[in-house]
């Protein structure tokens, strides 16, 4: 009689990717850069009496707070990765932070729209040279931040330590390969700096035209344009991250592959199939199949090993003894 440790049948629910670890470090550096710029602008504004520098300094502070939320989410996700309270790990924490950041971006867009519209009704005196200098500094800082973040795009990375699977009874759990990488938290941080860069760029154009040609009306016009673009980005990020949070993403292509690979064997029919995201590059899958002649669970698991990102796979095999199951 052979005895096996229970550890042979369990696996980790830590789905943190190396890409997320790198994103946390990059986002932290952006926070440091933003805080440094905030301090410089506040000191310069206080010494020179420039309200434009003081205002942009506090704006940089709010920007640092929003980016700090992204760093905090990565840290919590890593710290609680092995906490049993999180049934499928902590992969949704960065997604929740991304959704929250989307709401903050949306609020910023509403504020910018309201402020721009009020300038049409109540124009204010603009110190063009000073304002252009501040906008240029903001543009430089945000372009540097975007470069540090590496584009905020989705990448394909492999997990540092997921690659085992064990069967027990009629169920089997496994960690095949990493797949599509979708980091809503990094995307949110990237959109924050791009939104700021956009407003700085539009401001430089509008302020330059106002200083050279007296077209002061361009300042609020560019504000409205910026608000609309930022609002659109915020809406896209909010809807995308919300779908992930409520497990409503489109997994039809992966589901089609799972079904096709299983139903290509003997008389196998897939009776039930569920797919949902549990990490930036990880998905959970529960599949229930029906067949007259069941094979070992390892056989069915092996069929799905080439599908990337199925890092929590549960297979249920049901034997049908009725001839009608073949139709």
């Amino acid at each position: 009689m052979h005895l096996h440790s229970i550890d042979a049948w369990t696996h980790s629910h830590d789905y943190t990717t190396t890409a997320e670890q790198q994103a946390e470090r990059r986002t932290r550096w952006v926070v440091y850069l933003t805080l440094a710029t905030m301090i410089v602008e506040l000191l310069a504004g206080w010494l020179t009496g420039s309200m434009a520098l003081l205002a942009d300094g506090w704006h940089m502070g709010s920007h640092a707070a929003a980016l700090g939320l992204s760093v905090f989410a990565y840290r919590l996700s890593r710290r609680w990765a092995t906490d049993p309270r999180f049934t499928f790990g902590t992969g949704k924490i960065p997604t929740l932070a991304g959704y929250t950041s989307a709401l903050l971006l949306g609020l910023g867009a509403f504020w910018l729209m309201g402020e721009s519209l009020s300038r049409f009704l109540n124009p204010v005196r603009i110190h063009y040279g000073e304002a252009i200098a501040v906008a240029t500094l903001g543009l430089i800082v945000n372009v540097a931040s975007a470069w540090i973040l590496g584009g905020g795009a989705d990448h394909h990375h492999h997990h540092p330590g997921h690659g085992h699977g064990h069967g027990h009874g009629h169920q089997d759990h496994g960690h095949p390969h990493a797949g599509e990488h979708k980091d809503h938290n990094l995307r949110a941080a990237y959109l924050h700096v791009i939104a700021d860069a956009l407003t700085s760029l539009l401001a430089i154009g509008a302020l330059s035209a106002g200083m050279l040609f007296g077209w002061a009306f361009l300042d609020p016009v560019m504000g409205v344009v910026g608000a609309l673009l930022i609002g659109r980005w915020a809406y896209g990020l909010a809807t995308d991250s919300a779908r992930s949070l409520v497990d409503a993403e489109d997994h039809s292509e992966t589901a089609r592959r799972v079904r096709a690979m299983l139903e290509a064997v003997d008389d196998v029919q897939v009776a039930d199939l569920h797919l949902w995201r549990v990490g930036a590059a990880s998905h959970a899958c529960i599949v229930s199949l029906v067949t007259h002649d069941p094979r070992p669970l390892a056989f069915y698991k092996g069929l799905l090993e080439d599908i990337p990102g199925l890092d929590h796979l549960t297979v249920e095999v049901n034997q049908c003894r009725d001839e009608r199951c073949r139709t």
Side-chain angles (χ1 to χ4, degrees), residues 13-26 74 77-78 81 90-91 94 153-162 177-184 186 277-283 309 311:
H13 288 158
D14 181 4
Y15 301 115
T16 304
T17 65
T18 54
E20 287 177 291
Q21 294 169 357
Q22 294 167 1
E24 180 183 354
R25 288 192 293 270
R26 294 199 302 268
Y74 283 128
S77 180
R78 179 164 38 83
T90 56
D154 298 332
H155 304 287
H156 294 266
H157 288 271
H158 290 283
H159 292 272
H162 299 302
H177 306 91
E180 174 201 25
H181 191 277
K182 183 174 288 188
D183 189 341
H184 297 96
L186 177 60
R277 185 179 297 277
V278 292
S282 299
H283 295 79
D311 288 344

Side-chain angles (χ1 to χ4, degrees), residues 132-306:
I132 290 174
V134 173
T136 301
L137 175 61
L139 178 62
I140 293 171
V141 170
N142 284 295
V143 168
S145 297
W147 178 78
I148 292 172
L149 289 174
D154 298 332
H155 304 287
H156 294 266
H157 288 271
H158 290 283
H159 292 272
H162 299 302
H164 62 279
H166 308 283
H168 179 68
H170 281 282
Q171 294 190 343
D172 186 46
H173 302 275
H175 295 289
H177 306 91
E180 174 201 25
H181 191 277
K182 183 174 288 188
D183 189 341
H184 297 96
N185 198 30
L186 177 60
R187 179 182 169 195
Y190 183 69
L191 283 182
H192 271 291
V193 299
I194 288 298
D196 262 9
L198 173 69
T199 54
S200 296
L201 187 62
L202 291 176
I204 290 171
L207 291 169
S208 298
M211 183 172 65
L212 295 174
F213 308 112
W215 296 347
F217 68 91
L218 279 182
D219 186 51
V221 167
M222 290 304 178
V224 171
V225 172
L228 292 174
L229 286 174
I230 295 170
R232 181 178 178 182
W233 295 341
Y235 177 78
L237 175 59
T239 53
D240 197 22
S241 54
R243 289 192 189 102
S244 181
L245 288 172
V246 299
D247 299 321
E249 290 183 275
D250 182 9
H251 302 300
S252 57
E253 177 59 26
T254 303
R256 183 196 64 78
R257 291 184 63 185
V258 170
R259 189 180 296 273
M261 288 181 175
L262 291 174
E263 293 186 343
V265 178
D266 302 331
D267 65 338
V268 170
Q269 293 187 51
V270 173
D272 198 23
L273 175 61
H274 297 275
L275 278 164
W276 68 99
R277 185 179 297 277
V278 292
S282 299
H283 295 79
C285 175
I286 296 177
V287 57
S288 176
L289 57 89
V290 180
T291 180
H292 281 82
D293 305 303
R295 299 197 187 192
L297 288 171
F299 169 77
Y300 298 109
K301 182 178 93 63
L303 294 174
L304 306 178
E305 283 184 346
D306 290 333

Side-chain angles (χ1 to χ4, degrees), residues 300-317:
Y300 298 109
K301 182 178 93 63
L303 294 174
L304 306 178
E305 283 184 346
D306 290 333
I307 299 180
L310 293 187
D311 288 344
H312 194 291
L313 175 62
T314 302
V315 178
E316 180 183 63
V317 181

